[in-house]
């Protein structure tokens, strides 16, 4: 059964990894898509492969560019029903070597960008009959990890931001939940780290992007109709340890 028939979904970070896998699954479930990313060539080519999709190049840290995404989405499809707020970056740097610029950049994309996109989504949803936001946090929003201070801070912020706006708009037919992935086999993970991360995971493998897409579809569709302000951890058992 198509779970997003007639829905319009904006997906940030939609050119690669978890965002691209989710775009594919959403498309199979009948959604019209607005893919947002900095990677223009990849995003444009990918949008052409999908049945009803456009690509918009935008930086989620730019207020103007985020506003333009929603304007273009409404011009193309008349509305926005679902926003997968997923663009993100991550690097491992010991905290005593972490420059303020790198800290700011990580927090800018992974937390400020989530706010800017969510704010625009809520503005659009208030003009219509509600909508759904899925924010990508991380299991590293729940637990710490040496060398990931900025990422941990930003993703922990996304988990509590999700609770906050989930509550704020709960009575307005606007649902907001977060996905908290474990180690997933996407370009964000350096090749040389994969063996170690597999070993750190109780299931002894990396998660796949399409396993995240299925969780996002659950959070984006009516299957999760009584959920808001929650975080869904999908991590091969990592945070159960
Ligand atoms: N892969 C993992 O192990 C893992 C684990 C936990 C959380 N996450 C989160 O999942 C999300 C997706 O990551 P992924 O694993 O698919 O990695 P990815 O690198 O394949 O995808 C991230 C995408 O975001 C885009 N992006 C980065 N900065 C942007 C910006 N300022 N504006 C617009 N787009 C931007 C990138 O170009 C890229 O296409 C991220 O938020 C990441 O932190 C990933």
């Amino acid at each position: 059964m198509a779970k997003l028939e007639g829905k319009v979904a904006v997906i940030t970070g939609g050119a690669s990894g978890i965002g691209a896998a989710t775009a594919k699954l959403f498309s199979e479930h009948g959604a019209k898509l607005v893919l947002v990313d900095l990677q223009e060539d990849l995003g444009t080519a990918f949008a052409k492969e999908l049945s009803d999709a456009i690509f918009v190049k935008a930086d989620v840290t730019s207020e103007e560019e985020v506003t333009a995404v929603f304007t273009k989405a409404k011009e193309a499809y008349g509305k926005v029903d679902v926003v997968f707020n997923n663009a993100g970056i991550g690097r491992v740097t010991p905290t005593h070597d972490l420059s303020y610029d790198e800290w700011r950049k990580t927090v800018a994309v992974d937390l400020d960008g989530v706010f800017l996109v969510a704010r625009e989504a809520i503005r659009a949803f208030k003009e219509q009959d509600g909508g759904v936001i899925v924010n990508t946090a991380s299991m590293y929003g729940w637990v710490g990890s040496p060398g990931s201070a900025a990422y941990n801070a930003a993703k922990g912020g996304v988990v509590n931001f999700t609770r906050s706006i989930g509550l704020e708009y709960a009575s307005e037919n606007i649902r907001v939940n977060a996905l908290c992935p474990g180690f997933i086999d996407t370009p964000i993970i350096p090749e040389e780290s994969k063996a170690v991360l597999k070993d750190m995971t109780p299931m002894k493998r990396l998660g796949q992007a399409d396993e995240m897409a299925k969780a996002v579809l659950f959070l984006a569709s009516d299957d999760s109709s009584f959920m808001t302000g929650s975080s869904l951890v999908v991590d091969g058992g990592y945070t159960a340890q």
Side-chain angles (χ1 to χ4, degrees):
M1 194 191 82
K3 296 188 173 187
L4 295 176
E5 199 59 59
K7 304 283 186 190
V8 177
V10 171
I11 300 181
T12 71
S16 174
I18 295 169
T22 301
K24 196 162 168 291
L25 187 62
F26 277 18
S27 178
E28 287 162 14
H29 279 268
K32 297 179 172 62
L33 300 173
V34 179
L35 306 181
V36 180
D37 209 293
L38 291 173
Q39 301 195 70
E40 190 167 21
D41 292 348
L42 201 58
T44 306
F46 182 47
K48 284 191 189 131
E49 283 173 28
L50 300 168
S51 60
D52 229 332
I54 59 168
F55 174 76
V56 180
K57 185 184 181 197
D59 182 338
V60 296
T61 68
S62 158
E63 284 193 79
E64 294 73 23
E65 291 180 24
V66 169
T67 304
V69 165
F70 283 78
T71 304
K72 285 178 187 159
K74 283 185 242 169
E75 278 167 11
Y77 299 124
K79 60 172 184 165
V80 175
D81 302 294
V82 173
V83 172
F84 183 32
N85 201 353
N86 165 75
I89 56 171
R91 248 183 38 201
V92 175
T93 308
T95 304
H96 58 276
D97 290 331
L98 183 64
S99 67
Y100 183 53
D101 276 357
E102 189 183 335
W103 168 276
R104 278 291 340 136
K105 172 84 182 156
T106 304
V107 174
V109 178
D110 291 351
L111 182 58
D112 301 355
V114 168
F115 157 67
L116 291 176
V117 172
R119 183 180 64 177
E120 217 53 43
I122 292 163
R123 287 173 176 166
F125 295 164
K126 283 175 82 67
E127 288 170 9
Q128 53 189 59
D129 184 28
V132 180
I133 298 173
V134 181
N135 295 322
T136 303
S138 170
M139 66 179 180
Y140 278 177
W142 281 92
V143 294
S145 169
S148 296
Y151 189 80
N152 285 157
K155 294 297 190 176
V158 173
V159 168
N160 216 26
F161 174 68
T162 300
R163 293 190 188 105
S164 176
I165 59 171
L167 283 175
E168 191 171 348
Y169 298 99
S171 63
E172 296 183 51
N173 199 31
I174 296 173
R175 298 192 303 108
V176 190
N177 293 290
L179 173 76
C180 297
F183 301 125
I184 312 305
D185 194 357
T186 72
I188 212 173
I189 296 203
E191 209 51 52
E192 62 275 16
S193 308
K194 287 185 180 171
V196 174
L197 300 181
K198 272 184 201 171
D199 202 50
M200 287 165 71
T201 303
M203 286 189 179
K204 298 297 172 203
R205 67 174 178 89
L206 299 179
Q208 297 302 311
D210 62 355
E211 293 177 293
M212 299 303 105
K214 289 176 196 164
V216 181
L217 177 63
F218 168 69
L219 294 173
S221 71
D222 285 346
D223 283 354
S224 61
S225 52
F226 197 49
M227 273 179 82
T228 201
S230 280
S231 290
L232 181 60
V233 179
V234 188
D235 67 352
Y238 186 95
T239 53
Q241 297 174 100

